[in-house]
Amino acid sequence: MLCAPLKFEDESMLCQANRWADLIEFHIDHFQTSTLEKWRRLCHKPVIFKLSASNFNVLQHQPEYVDLPHTVSPEVFESIKKQYPQVKLICSYHDFEQTGDLTAVYRQLASHPAEIYKISTLARTTNDALRMLKFMKTHKCLGICMGELGKITRILAPIFGAPWTYAPLSNAHRTASGQLLLDELVTVYRYRKHSPKTSLYGLIGDPVKKSSSHLIHNYAFKKLGLNATYIKMRVTPNELEECLSLCKFLGFKGLSVTMPLKETVVRYLSHSFSQAVNTVGFKEEGVYGWNTDGIAALDVLEKYTKVKEKTIVLLGAGGAAWGVAHEAAKRGARLVILNRTLSRACRLAQVVGGTAFTLEEFPRIAQLGYDILINCTSVGMGDDLSIPISAKDLLEKKIVMEIVMRPRTTRLVAAAKAKQCEIIEGIDMFIQQAAEQYYHWFQEHLVDG
Ligand code: ATR
């Protein structure tokens, strides 16, 4: 269910809540007691009265639920139950600083006679939010993590047995940090379709905020008729081991992996088919890792030109570059690898067979000639307006492939366009690598398609 909070008296928003929400929460402290009867009458959906003070008289207006803090004594809960037997009680706990010992919190709540125990804590890391979901798997409660990193607990609530999630209809009615608007939950994440049978997929990496992968994958899942959802999780290398074990426990089926985790993730997998993994699959036999960046990049590139015996200048030597370099070498390309850190470029060149230089050497390399230039560095991503090599040294009328997806026109793409180069954008490769990921994740579901 979706519960729309009403932070203050707002008739137009109540009309919308009547239409779109399953449940409406009145923040009673901001309502005048004299007008409550009218609001109760206007409300056509079950209602929660959220109280912070002991103004229990308002319960005469017969809400379906009342939400009280756990600091109210169990005896008071008991007496409310006696006086208003039809009202269901929610006993809630808030920690705005951290996600601590959830078992200890639950124990405190369980001493209260209530129908629902609500635990709301701040997620400082994605693992905090995953721990909350794990807790909900084993304890019947409404667990929510506040903050940006806690959003996943709100999106996945029905999969882990929460009776509802709080979803305001406008920013003005947001009552906690990290709440998603009702429209986004329904439209992007297909919240109303979620059930414990929904398969879980997600992106891990840092940063992930600007990635559009949740939009693309959730849309694709819908089009493919899959009961699955895709979320984004900010995970640092230090958090990775715990994150993977939590994802496995929670029943995740697959993960996309982005920087800076593609190489680190390998050590936590039971079977890895690459040294830089961008696709993880949780199977019965173990945790598998593949790289679909390389195959995708080369498949897209070869729609323009075969790479056999062509010279490719590859910028970067990180996870994405590893995938692309391996596949390009396999298909017979000559590789010149340029990276900010020379030692990383040398290591990669040694493995795939190629030559290695620093990015500063690009003018000299360009003079020797090349056919294709591929940017596999993160330079130019998001708000970064820089370019990995000097624009003036780019050769004219060559193929330039950009791995950065956002912005669509990076400075490198703009410079290459000015030199009449043929451009392959990051989005082209992204879509292709997502399709390759589906081969690993949904093999058994998509055999005919
Ligand atoms: P991914 O998995 O997406 O490839 P990564 O493994 O973190 O991410 O690799 C990022 C690449 O971008 C690396 O080649 C990195 O160069 P270093 O090996 O020297 O770190 C490159 N990169 C990142 N920031 C850069 C910058 N400001 N200038 C030049 N190269 C940069």
mmCIF file with all atom_site columns, all heavy atoms in Angstrom, residues 1-3 22-23 65 90 115-118 136 140-143 157-158 160-166 191:
data_model
loop_
_atom_site.group_PDB
_atom_site.id
_atom_site.type_symbol
_atom_site.label_atom_id
_atom_site.label_alt_id
_atom_site.label_comp_id
_atom_site.label_asym_id
_atom_site.label_entity_id
_atom_site.label_seq_id
_atom_site.pdbx_PDB_ins_code
_atom_site.Cartn_x
_atom_site.Cartn_y
_atom_site.Cartn_z
_atom_site.occupancy
_atom_site.B_iso_or_equiv
_atom_site.pdbx_formal_charge
_atom_site.auth_seq_id
_atom_site.auth_comp_id
_atom_site.auth_asym_id
_atom_site.auth_atom_id
_atom_site.pdbx_PDB_model_num
ATOM 1   N N   . MET A 1 1   ? 0.839  -1.201 0.000  1.00 0.00 ? 1   MET A N   1
ATOM 2   C CA  . MET A 1 1   ? 0.000  0.000  0.000  1.00 0.00 ? 1   MET A CA  1
ATOM 3   C C   . MET A 1 1   ? 0.877  1.254  0.000  1.00 0.00 ? 1   MET A C   1
ATOM 4   O O   . MET A 1 1   ? 2.004  1.226  0.464  1.00 0.00 ? 1   MET A O   1
ATOM 5   C CB  . MET A 1 1   ? -0.871 0.009  1.259  1.00 0.00 ? 1   MET A CB  1
ATOM 6   C CG  . MET A 1 1   ? -1.999 -1.012 1.228  1.00 0.00 ? 1   MET A CG  1
ATOM 7   S SD  . MET A 1 1   ? -3.283 -0.578 2.420  1.00 0.00 ? 1   MET A SD  1
ATOM 8   C CE  . MET A 1 1   ? -2.446 -0.907 3.958  1.00 0.00 ? 1   MET A CE  1
ATOM 9   N N   . LEU A 1 2   ? 0.298  2.331  -0.507 1.00 0.00 ? 2   LEU A N   1
ATOM 10  C CA  . LEU A 1 2   ? 1.004  3.617  -0.514 1.00 0.00 ? 2   LEU A CA  1
ATOM 11  C C   . LEU A 1 2   ? 0.287  4.586  0.406  1.00 0.00 ? 2   LEU A C   1
ATOM 12  O O   . LEU A 1 2   ? -0.922 4.799  0.268  1.00 0.00 ? 2   LEU A O   1
ATOM 13  C CB  . LEU A 1 2   ? 1.047  4.175  -1.940 1.00 0.00 ? 2   LEU A CB  1
ATOM 14  C CG  . LEU A 1 2   ? 2.031  3.458  -2.853 1.00 0.00 ? 2   LEU A CG  1
ATOM 15  C CD1 . LEU A 1 2   ? 1.744  3.745  -4.317 1.00 0.00 ? 2   LEU A CD1 1
ATOM 16  C CD2 . LEU A 1 2   ? 3.461  3.861  -2.496 1.00 0.00 ? 2   LEU A CD2 1
ATOM 17  N N   . CYS A 1 3   ? 1.029  5.136  1.345  1.00 0.00 ? 3   CYS A N   1
ATOM 18  C CA  . CYS A 1 3   ? 0.435  6.047  2.330  1.00 0.00 ? 3   CYS A CA  1
ATOM 19  C C   . CYS A 1 3   ? 0.899  7.470  2.035  1.00 0.00 ? 3   CYS A C   1
ATOM 20  O O   . CYS A 1 3   ? 2.099  7.757  2.078  1.00 0.00 ? 3   CYS A O   1
ATOM 21  C CB  . CYS A 1 3   ? 0.866  5.631  3.731  1.00 0.00 ? 3   CYS A CB  1
ATOM 22  S SG  . CYS A 1 3   ? 0.273  6.771  4.978  1.00 0.00 ? 3   CYS A SG  1
ATOM 23  N N   . ASP A 1 22  ? -3.539 4.757  -0.931 1.00 0.00 ? 22  ASP A N   1
ATOM 24  C CA  . ASP A 1 22  ? -4.374 3.717  -0.314 1.00 0.00 ? 22  ASP A CA  1
ATOM 25  C C   . ASP A 1 22  ? -4.679 4.072  1.125  1.00 0.00 ? 22  ASP A C   1
ATOM 26  O O   . ASP A 1 22  ? -5.575 3.496  1.749  1.00 0.00 ? 22  ASP A O   1
ATOM 27  C CB  . ASP A 1 22  ? -3.627 2.379  -0.326 1.00 0.00 ? 22  ASP A CB  1
ATOM 28  C CG  . ASP A 1 22  ? -3.101 2.062  -1.703 1.00 0.00 ? 22  ASP A CG  1
ATOM 29  O OD1 . ASP A 1 22  ? -3.912 1.881  -2.613 1.00 0.00 ? 22  ASP A OD1 1
ATOM 30  O OD2 . ASP A 1 22  ? -1.861 2.041  -1.874 1.00 0.00 ? 22  ASP A OD2 1
ATOM 31  N N   . LEU A 1 23  ? -3.911 5.015  1.640  1.00 0.00 ? 23  LEU A N   1
ATOM 32  C CA  . LEU A 1 23  ? -3.951 5.332  3.056  1.00 0.00 ? 23  LEU A CA  1
ATOM 33  C C   . LEU A 1 23  ? -3.467 6.783  3.174  1.00 0.00 ? 23  LEU A C   1
ATOM 34  O O   . LEU A 1 23  ? -2.594 7.190  2.409  1.00 0.00 ? 23  LEU A O   1
ATOM 35  C CB  . LEU A 1 23  ? -2.945 4.378  3.716  1.00 0.00 ? 23  LEU A CB  1
ATOM 36  C CG  . LEU A 1 23  ? -2.882 4.159  5.202  1.00 0.00 ? 23  LEU A CG  1
ATOM 37  C CD1 . LEU A 1 23  ? -4.192 3.554  5.680  1.00 0.00 ? 23  LEU A CD1 1
ATOM 38  C CD2 . LEU A 1 23  ? -1.737 3.193  5.522  1.00 0.00 ? 23  LEU A CD2 1
ATOM 39  N N   . TYR A 1 65  ? -5.997 4.073  12.050 1.00 0.00 ? 65  TYR A N   1
ATOM 40  C CA  . TYR A 1 65  ? -4.734 3.819  12.757 1.00 0.00 ? 65  TYR A CA  1
ATOM 41  C C   . TYR A 1 65  ? -4.348 5.060  13.566 1.00 0.00 ? 65  TYR A C   1
ATOM 42  O O   . TYR A 1 65  ? -4.672 6.178  13.178 1.00 0.00 ? 65  TYR A O   1
ATOM 43  C CB  . TYR A 1 65  ? -3.583 3.576  11.780 1.00 0.00 ? 65  TYR A CB  1
ATOM 44  C CG  . TYR A 1 65  ? -3.730 2.358  10.901 1.00 0.00 ? 65  TYR A CG  1
ATOM 45  C CD1 . TYR A 1 65  ? -4.357 2.459  9.656  1.00 0.00 ? 65  TYR A CD1 1
ATOM 46  C CD2 . TYR A 1 65  ? -3.216 1.125  11.287 1.00 0.00 ? 65  TYR A CD2 1
ATOM 47  C CE1 . TYR A 1 65  ? -4.472 1.341  8.821  1.00 0.00 ? 65  TYR A CE1 1
ATOM 48  C CE2 . TYR A 1 65  ? -3.333 0.013  10.469 1.00 0.00 ? 65  TYR A CE2 1
ATOM 49  C CZ  . TYR A 1 65  ? -3.962 0.127  9.244  1.00 0.00 ? 65  TYR A CZ  1
ATOM 50  O OH  . TYR A 1 65  ? -4.067 -0.967 8.426  1.00 0.00 ? 65  TYR A OH  1
ATOM 51  N N   . ILE A 1 90  ? -0.005 1.921  16.003 1.00 0.00 ? 90  ILE A N   1
ATOM 52  C CA  . ILE A 1 90  ? 1.347  1.820  15.439 1.00 0.00 ? 90  ILE A CA  1
ATOM 53  C C   . ILE A 1 90  ? 2.304  2.355  16.494 1.00 0.00 ? 90  ILE A C   1
ATOM 54  O O   . ILE A 1 90  ? 2.123  3.485  16.964 1.00 0.00 ? 90  ILE A O   1
ATOM 55  C CB  . ILE A 1 90  ? 1.491  2.680  14.160 1.00 0.00 ? 90  ILE A CB  1
ATOM 56  C CG1 . ILE A 1 90  ? 0.435  2.282  13.126 1.00 0.00 ? 90  ILE A CG1 1
ATOM 57  C CG2 . ILE A 1 90  ? 2.889  2.583  13.582 1.00 0.00 ? 90  ILE A CG2 1
ATOM 58  C CD1 . ILE A 1 90  ? 0.282  3.300  11.993 1.00 0.00 ? 90  ILE A CD1 1
ATOM 59  N N   . GLU A 1 115 ? -0.445 -3.085 16.856 1.00 0.00 ? 115 GLU A N   1
ATOM 60  C CA  . GLU A 1 115 ? -0.616 -3.941 15.670 1.00 0.00 ? 115 GLU A CA  1
ATOM 61  C C   . GLU A 1 115 ? 0.614  -3.858 14.765 1.00 0.00 ? 115 GLU A C   1
ATOM 62  O O   . GLU A 1 115 ? 0.968  -4.806 14.092 1.00 0.00 ? 115 GLU A O   1
ATOM 63  C CB  . GLU A 1 115 ? -1.850 -3.506 14.851 1.00 0.00 ? 115 GLU A CB  1
ATOM 64  C CG  . GLU A 1 115 ? -3.152 -4.136 15.298 1.00 0.00 ? 115 GLU A CG  1
ATOM 65  C CD  . GLU A 1 115 ? -3.676 -3.543 16.599 1.00 0.00 ? 115 GLU A CD  1
ATOM 66  O OE1 . GLU A 1 115 ? -3.254 -2.407 16.956 1.00 0.00 ? 115 GLU A OE1 1
ATOM 67  O OE2 . GLU A 1 115 ? -4.485 -4.200 17.275 1.00 0.00 ? 115 GLU A OE2 1
ATOM 68  N N   . ILE A 1 116 ? 1.218  -2.663 14.727 1.00 0.00 ? 116 ILE A N   1
ATOM 69  C CA  . ILE A 1 116 ? 2.360  -2.467 13.825 1.00 0.00 ? 116 ILE A CA  1
ATOM 70  C C   . ILE A 1 116 ? 3.516  -1.822 14.584 1.00 0.00 ? 116 ILE A C   1
ATOM 71  O O   . ILE A 1 116 ? 3.326  -0.838 15.318 1.00 0.00 ? 116 ILE A O   1
ATOM 72  C CB  . ILE A 1 116 ? 1.941  -1.583 12.623 1.00 0.00 ? 116 ILE A CB  1
ATOM 73  C CG1 . ILE A 1 116 ? 0.944  -2.373 11.756 1.00 0.00 ? 116 ILE A CG1 1
ATOM 74  C CG2 . ILE A 1 116 ? 3.150  -1.159 11.778 1.00 0.00 ? 116 ILE A CG2 1
ATOM 75  C CD1 . ILE A 1 116 ? 0.340  -1.607 10.636 1.00 0.00 ? 116 ILE A CD1 1
ATOM 76  N N   . TYR A 1 117 ? 4.713  -2.381 14.389 1.00 0.00 ? 117 TYR A N   1
ATOM 77  C CA  . TYR A 1 117 ? 5.921  -1.772 14.939 1.00 0.00 ? 117 TYR A CA  1
ATOM 78  C C   . TYR A 1 117 ? 6.664  -1.099 13.795 1.00 0.00 ? 117 TYR A C   1
ATOM 79  O O   . TYR A 1 117 ? 7.011  -1.762 12.813 1.00 0.00 ? 117 TYR A O   1
ATOM 80  C CB  . TYR A 1 117 ? 6.802  -2.827 15.613 1.00 0.00 ? 117 TYR A CB  1
ATOM 81  C CG  . TYR A 1 117 ? 6.105  -3.493 16.789 1.00 0.00 ? 117 TYR A CG  1
ATOM 82  C CD1 . TYR A 1 117 ? 5.917  -4.869 16.829 1.00 0.00 ? 117 TYR A CD1 1
ATOM 83  C CD2 . TYR A 1 117 ? 5.613  -2.718 17.836 1.00 0.00 ? 117 TYR A CD2 1
ATOM 84  C CE1 . TYR A 1 117 ? 5.255  -5.464 17.891 1.00 0.00 ? 117 TYR A CE1 1
ATOM 85  C CE2 . TYR A 1 117 ? 4.945  -3.303 18.903 1.00 0.00 ? 117 TYR A CE2 1
ATOM 86  C CZ  . TYR A 1 117 ? 4.760  -4.673 18.923 1.00 0.00 ? 117 TYR A CZ  1
ATOM 87  O OH  . TYR A 1 117 ? 4.101  -5.251 19.967 1.00 0.00 ? 117 TYR A OH  1
ATOM 88  N N   . LYS A 1 118 ? 6.869  0.193  13.944 1.00 0.00 ? 118 LYS A N   1
ATOM 89  C CA  . LYS A 1 118 ? 7.531  0.950  12.867 1.00 0.00 ? 118 LYS A CA  1
ATOM 90  C C   . LYS A 1 118 ? 8.907  1.406  13.342 1.00 0.00 ? 118 LYS A C   1
ATOM 91  O O   . LYS A 1 118 ? 9.011  2.064  14.386 1.00 0.00 ? 118 LYS A O   1
ATOM 92  C CB  . LYS A 1 118 ? 6.654  2.159  12.514 1.00 0.00 ? 118 LYS A CB  1
ATOM 93  C CG  . LYS A 1 118 ? 7.205  3.026  11.409 1.00 0.00 ? 118 LYS A CG  1
ATOM 94  C CD  . LYS A 1 118 ? 6.220  4.114  11.052 1.00 0.00 ? 118 LYS A CD  1
ATOM 95  C CE  . LYS A 1 118 ? 6.855  5.473  11.213 1.00 0.00 ? 118 LYS A CE  1
ATOM 96  N NZ  . LYS A 1 118 ? 5.868  6.553  11.085 1.00 0.00 ? 118 LYS A NZ  1
ATOM 97  N N   . MET A 1 136 ? 13.714 -6.917 8.246  1.00 0.00 ? 136 MET A N   1
ATOM 98  C CA  . MET A 1 136 ? 12.283 -7.074 7.916  1.00 0.00 ? 136 MET A CA  1
ATOM 99  C C   . MET A 1 136 ? 11.958 -8.473 7.404  1.00 0.00 ? 136 MET A C   1
ATOM 100 O O   . MET A 1 136 ? 10.818 -8.915 7.468  1.00 0.00 ? 136 MET A O   1
ATOM 101 C CB  . MET A 1 136 ? 11.877 -6.042 6.865  1.00 0.00 ? 136 MET A CB  1
ATOM 102 C CG  . MET A 1 136 ? 11.772 -4.649 7.455  1.00 0.00 ? 136 MET A CG  1
ATOM 103 S SD  . MET A 1 136 ? 11.747 -3.444 6.158  1.00 0.00 ? 136 MET A SD  1
ATOM 104 C CE  . MET A 1 136 ? 10.135 -3.747 5.492  1.00 0.00 ? 136 MET A CE  1
ATOM 105 N N   . LYS A 1 140 ? 8.446  -9.184 11.746 1.00 0.00 ? 140 LYS A N   1
ATOM 106 C CA  . LYS A 1 140 ? 7.303  -8.517 11.127 1.00 0.00 ? 140 LYS A CA  1
ATOM 107 C C   . LYS A 1 140 ? 7.287  -7.058 11.606 1.00 0.00 ? 140 LYS A C   1
ATOM 108 O O   . LYS A 1 140 ? 6.985  -6.787 12.781 1.00 0.00 ? 140 LYS A O   1
ATOM 109 C CB  . LYS A 1 140 ? 6.016  -9.242 11.556 1.00 0.00 ? 140 LYS A CB  1
ATOM 110 C CG  . LYS A 1 140 ? 4.840  -8.936 10.686 1.00 0.00 ? 140 LYS A CG  1
ATOM 111 C CD  . LYS A 1 140 ? 3.729  -9.955 10.904 1.00 0.00 ? 140 LYS A CD  1
ATOM 112 C CE  . LYS A 1 140 ? 2.476  -9.530 10.196 1.00 0.00 ? 140 LYS A CE  1
ATOM 113 N NZ  . LYS A 1 140 ? 1.697  -8.542 10.912 1.00 0.00 ? 140 LYS A NZ  1
ATOM 114 N N   . CYS A 1 141 ? 7.666  -6.146 10.749 1.00 0.00 ? 141 CYS A N   1
ATOM 115 C CA  . CYS A 1 141 ? 7.666  -4.738 11.149 1.00 0.00 ? 141 CYS A CA  1
ATOM 116 C C   . CYS A 1 141 ? 7.686  -3.853 9.906  1.00 0.00 ? 141 CYS A C   1
ATOM 117 O O   . CYS A 1 141 ? 7.868  -4.330 8.791  1.00 0.00 ? 141 CYS A O   1
ATOM 118 C CB  . CYS A 1 141 ? 8.864  -4.418 12.034 1.00 0.00 ? 141 CYS A CB  1
ATOM 119 S SG  . CYS A 1 141 ? 10.436 -4.532 11.200 1.00 0.00 ? 141 CYS A SG  1
ATOM 120 N N   . LEU A 1 142 ? 7.462  -2.568 10.136 1.00 0.00 ? 142 LEU A N   1
ATOM 121 C CA  . LEU A 1 142 ? 7.553  -1.599 9.047  1.00 0.00 ? 142 LEU A CA  1
ATOM 122 C C   . LEU A 1 142 ? 8.893  -0.891 9.222  1.00 0.00 ? 142 LEU A C   1
ATOM 123 O O   . LEU A 1 142 ? 9.028  -0.020 10.072 1.00 0.00 ? 142 LEU A O   1
ATOM 124 C CB  . LEU A 1 142 ? 6.380  -0.623 9.179  1.00 0.00 ? 142 LEU A CB  1
ATOM 125 C CG  . LEU A 1 142 ? 5.898  0.161  7.976  1.00 0.00 ? 142 LEU A CG  1
ATOM 126 C CD1 . LEU A 1 142 ? 4.710  1.018  8.327  1.00 0.00 ? 142 LEU A CD1 1
ATOM 127 C CD2 . LEU A 1 142 ? 6.942  0.939  7.273  1.00 0.00 ? 142 LEU A CD2 1
ATOM 128 N N   . GLY A 1 143 ? 9.878  -1.334 8.480  1.00 0.00 ? 143 GLY A N   1
ATOM 129 C CA  . GLY A 1 143 ? 11.217 -0.767 8.621  1.00 0.00 ? 143 GLY A CA  1
ATOM 130 C C   . GLY A 1 143 ? 11.493 0.234  7.516  1.00 0.00 ? 143 GLY A C   1
ATOM 131 O O   . GLY A 1 143 ? 11.215 -0.032 6.345  1.00 0.00 ? 143 GLY A O   1
ATOM 132 N N   . ALA A 1 157 ? 9.778  -1.905 -0.051 1.00 0.00 ? 157 ALA A N   1
ATOM 133 C CA  . ALA A 1 157 ? 8.952  -2.227 1.132  1.00 0.00 ? 157 ALA A CA  1
ATOM 134 C C   . ALA A 1 157 ? 8.024  -3.436 0.930  1.00 0.00 ? 157 ALA A C   1
ATOM 135 O O   . ALA A 1 157 ? 8.053  -4.372 1.740  1.00 0.00 ? 157 ALA A O   1
ATOM 136 C CB  . ALA A 1 157 ? 8.164  -0.989 1.553  1.00 0.00 ? 157 ALA A CB  1
ATOM 137 N N   . PRO A 1 158 ? 7.221  -3.491 -0.141 1.00 0.00 ? 158 PRO A N   1
ATOM 138 C CA  . PRO A 1 158 ? 6.273  -4.610 -0.237 1.00 0.00 ? 158 PRO A CA  1
ATOM 139 C C   . PRO A 1 158 ? 6.946  -5.960 -0.493 1.00 0.00 ? 158 PRO A C   1
ATOM 140 O O   . PRO A 1 158 ? 6.376  -7.001 -0.211 1.00 0.00 ? 158 PRO A O   1
ATOM 141 C CB  . PRO A 1 158 ? 5.376  -4.232 -1.422 1.00 0.00 ? 158 PRO A CB  1
ATOM 142 C CG  . PRO A 1 158 ? 6.075  -3.155 -2.139 1.00 0.00 ? 158 PRO A CG  1
ATOM 143 C CD  . PRO A 1 158 ? 7.074  -2.523 -1.236 1.00 0.00 ? 158 PRO A CD  1
ATOM 144 N N   . PHE A 1 160 ? 9.518  -6.947 1.064  1.00 0.00 ? 160 PHE A N   1
ATOM 145 C CA  . PHE A 1 160 ? 9.988  -7.449 2.357  1.00 0.00 ? 160 PHE A CA  1
ATOM 146 C C   . PHE A 1 160 ? 8.902  -7.395 3.436  1.00 0.00 ? 160 PHE A C   1
ATOM 147 O O   . PHE A 1 160 ? 9.186  -7.387 4.623  1.00 0.00 ? 160 PHE A O   1
ATOM 148 C CB  . PHE A 1 160 ? 11.265 -6.696 2.776  1.00 0.00 ? 160 PHE A CB  1
ATOM 149 C CG  . PHE A 1 160 ? 12.407 -7.056 1.882  1.00 0.00 ? 160 PHE A CG  1
ATOM 150 C CD1 . PHE A 1 160 ? 12.699 -6.298 0.767  1.00 0.00 ? 160 PHE A CD1 1
ATOM 151 C CD2 . PHE A 1 160 ? 13.135 -8.217 2.102  1.00 0.00 ? 160 PHE A CD2 1
ATOM 152 C CE1 . PHE A 1 160 ? 13.727 -6.651 -0.100 1.00 0.00 ? 160 PHE A CE1 1
ATOM 153 C CE2 . PHE A 1 160 ? 14.157 -8.589 1.255  1.00 0.00 ? 160 PHE A CE2 1
ATOM 154 C CZ  . PHE A 1 160 ? 14.451 -7.806 0.150  1.00 0.00 ? 160 PHE A CZ  1
ATOM 155 N N   . GLY A 1 161 ? 7.666  -7.336 2.988  1.00 0.00 ? 161 GLY A N   1
ATOM 156 C CA  . GLY A 1 161 ? 6.544  -7.528 3.921  1.00 0.00 ? 161 GLY A CA  1
ATOM 157 C C   . GLY A 1 161 ? 6.078  -6.296 4.671  1.00 0.00 ? 161 GLY A C   1
ATOM 158 O O   . GLY A 1 161 ? 5.260  -6.423 5.589  1.00 0.00 ? 161 GLY A O   1
ATOM 159 N N   . ALA A 1 162 ? 6.572  -5.099 4.322  1.00 0.00 ? 162 ALA A N   1
ATOM 160 C CA  . ALA A 1 162 ? 6.070  -3.900 5.011  1.00 0.00 ? 162 ALA A CA  1
ATOM 161 C C   . ALA A 1 162 ? 4.632  -3.648 4.559  1.00 0.00 ? 162 ALA A C   1
ATOM 162 O O   . ALA A 1 162 ? 4.322  -3.803 3.375  1.00 0.00 ? 162 ALA A O   1
ATOM 163 C CB  . ALA A 1 162 ? 6.938  -2.697 4.673  1.00 0.00 ? 162 ALA A CB  1
ATOM 164 N N   . PRO A 1 163 ? 3.733  -3.258 5.475  1.00 0.00 ? 163 PRO A N   1
ATOM 165 C CA  . PRO A 1 163 ? 2.343  -3.058 5.068  1.00 0.00 ? 163 PRO A CA  1
ATOM 166 C C   . PRO A 1 163 ? 2.168  -1.874 4.123  1.00 0.00 ? 163 PRO A C   1
ATOM 167 O O   . PRO A 1 163 ? 1.240  -1.856 3.328  1.00 0.00 ? 163 PRO A O   1
ATOM 168 C CB  . PRO A 1 163 ? 1.609  -2.832 6.392  1.00 0.00 ? 163 PRO A CB  1
ATOM 169 C CG  . PRO A 1 163 ? 2.657  -2.450 7.386  1.00 0.00 ? 163 PRO A CG  1
ATOM 170 C CD  . PRO A 1 163 ? 3.939  -3.075 6.920  1.00 0.00 ? 163 PRO A CD  1
ATOM 171 N N   . TRP A 1 164 ? 3.019  -0.876 4.201  1.00 0.00 ? 164 TRP A N   1
ATOM 172 C CA  . TRP A 1 164 ? 2.954  0.274  3.288  1.00 0.00 ? 164 TRP A CA  1
ATOM 173 C C   . TRP A 1 164 ? 4.272  1.019  3.298  1.00 0.00 ? 164 TRP A C   1
ATOM 174 O O   . TRP A 1 164 ? 5.154  0.745  4.104  1.00 0.00 ? 164 TRP A O   1
ATOM 175 C CB  . TRP A 1 164 ? 1.807  1.233  3.669  1.00 0.00 ? 164 TRP A CB  1
ATOM 176 C CG  . TRP A 1 164 ? 1.902  1.824  5.047  1.00 0.00 ? 164 TRP A CG  1
ATOM 177 C CD1 . TRP A 1 164 ? 2.728  2.814  5.476  1.00 0.00 ? 164 TRP A CD1 1
ATOM 178 C CD2 . TRP A 1 164 ? 1.120  1.439  6.187  1.00 0.00 ? 164 TRP A CD2 1
ATOM 179 N NE1 . TRP A 1 164 ? 2.510  3.077  6.816  1.00 0.00 ? 164 TRP A NE1 1
ATOM 180 C CE2 . TRP A 1 164 ? 1.521  2.251  7.273  1.00 0.00 ? 164 TRP A CE2 1
ATOM 181 C CE3 . TRP A 1 164 ? 0.102  0.499  6.410  1.00 0.00 ? 164 TRP A CE3 1
ATOM 182 C CZ2 . TRP A 1 164 ? 0.963  2.136  8.556  1.00 0.00 ? 164 TRP A CZ2 1
ATOM 183 C CZ3 . TRP A 1 164 ? -0.448 0.396  7.682  1.00 0.00 ? 164 TRP A CZ3 1
ATOM 184 C CH2 . TRP A 1 164 ? -0.022 1.202  8.730  1.00 0.00 ? 164 TRP A CH2 1
ATOM 185 N N   . THR A 1 165 ? 4.368  1.993  2.377  1.00 0.00 ? 165 THR A N   1
ATOM 186 C CA  . THR A 1 165 ? 5.493  2.928  2.407  1.00 0.00 ? 165 THR A CA  1
ATOM 187 C C   . THR A 1 165 ? 4.906  4.330  2.352  1.00 0.00 ? 165 THR A C   1
ATOM 188 O O   . THR A 1 165 ? 3.788  4.517  1.861  1.00 0.00 ? 165 THR A O   1
ATOM 189 C CB  . THR A 1 165 ? 6.477  2.662  1.244  1.00 0.00 ? 165 THR A CB  1
ATOM 190 O OG1 . THR A 1 165 ? 7.759  3.164  1.597  1.00 0.00 ? 165 THR A OG1 1
ATOM 191 C CG2 . THR A 1 165 ? 6.062  3.314  -0.052 1.00 0.00 ? 165 THR A CG2 1
ATOM 192 N N   . TYR A 1 166 ? 5.641  5.304  2.885  1.00 0.00 ? 166 TYR A N   1
ATOM 193 C CA  . TYR A 1 166 ? 5.144  6.686  2.898  1.00 0.00 ? 166 TYR A CA  1
ATOM 194 C C   . TYR A 1 166 ? 5.580  7.376  1.611  1.00 0.00 ? 166 TYR A C   1
ATOM 195 O O   . TYR A 1 166 ? 6.767  7.396  1.285  1.00 0.00 ? 166 TYR A O   1
ATOM 196 C CB  . TYR A 1 166 ? 5.683  7.432  4.127  1.00 0.00 ? 166 TYR A CB  1
ATOM 197 C CG  . TYR A 1 166 ? 5.151  6.828  5.406  1.00 0.00 ? 166 TYR A CG  1
ATOM 198 C CD1 . TYR A 1 166 ? 5.823  5.781  6.040  1.00 0.00 ? 166 TYR A CD1 1
ATOM 199 C CD2 . TYR A 1 166 ? 3.943  7.255  5.938  1.00 0.00 ? 166 TYR A CD2 1
ATOM 200 C CE1 . TYR A 1 166 ? 5.318  5.188  7.189  1.00 0.00 ? 166 TYR A CE1 1
ATOM 201 C CE2 . TYR A 1 166 ? 3.420  6.667  7.093  1.00 0.00 ? 166 TYR A CE2 1
ATOM 202 C CZ  . TYR A 1 166 ? 4.111  5.636  7.700  1.00 0.00 ? 166 TYR A CZ  1
ATOM 203 O OH  . TYR A 1 166 ? 3.591  5.040  8.833  1.00 0.00 ? 166 TYR A OH  1
ATOM 204 N N   . TYR A 1 191 ? 5.781  0.196  -8.216 1.00 0.00 ? 191 TYR A N   1
ATOM 205 C CA  . TYR A 1 191 ? 5.614  -0.222 -6.815 1.00 0.00 ? 191 TYR A CA  1
ATOM 206 C C   . TYR A 1 191 ? 4.401  -1.112 -6.618 1.00 0.00 ? 191 TYR A C   1
ATOM 207 O O   . TYR A 1 191 ? 4.448  -2.081 -5.872 1.00 0.00 ? 191 TYR A O   1
ATOM 208 C CB  . TYR A 1 191 ? 5.490  1.047  -5.953 1.00 0.00 ? 191 TYR A CB  1
ATOM 209 C CG  . TYR A 1 191 ? 5.316  0.777  -4.478 1.00 0.00 ? 191 TYR A CG  1
ATOM 210 C CD1 . TYR A 1 191 ? 6.421  0.751  -3.632 1.00 0.00 ? 191 TYR A CD1 1
ATOM 211 C CD2 . TYR A 1 191 ? 4.059  0.558  -3.921 1.00 0.00 ? 191 TYR A CD2 1
ATOM 212 C CE1 . TYR A 1 191 ? 6.275  0.508  -2.273 1.00 0.00 ? 191 TYR A CE1 1
ATOM 213 C CE2 . TYR A 1 191 ? 3.904  0.319  -2.572 1.00 0.00 ? 191 TYR A CE2 1
ATOM 214 C CZ  . TYR A 1 191 ? 5.020  0.294  -1.759 1.00 0.00 ? 191 TYR A CZ  1
ATOM 215 O OH  . TYR A 1 191 ? 4.862  0.048  -0.416 1.00 0.00 ? 191 TYR A OH  1
#
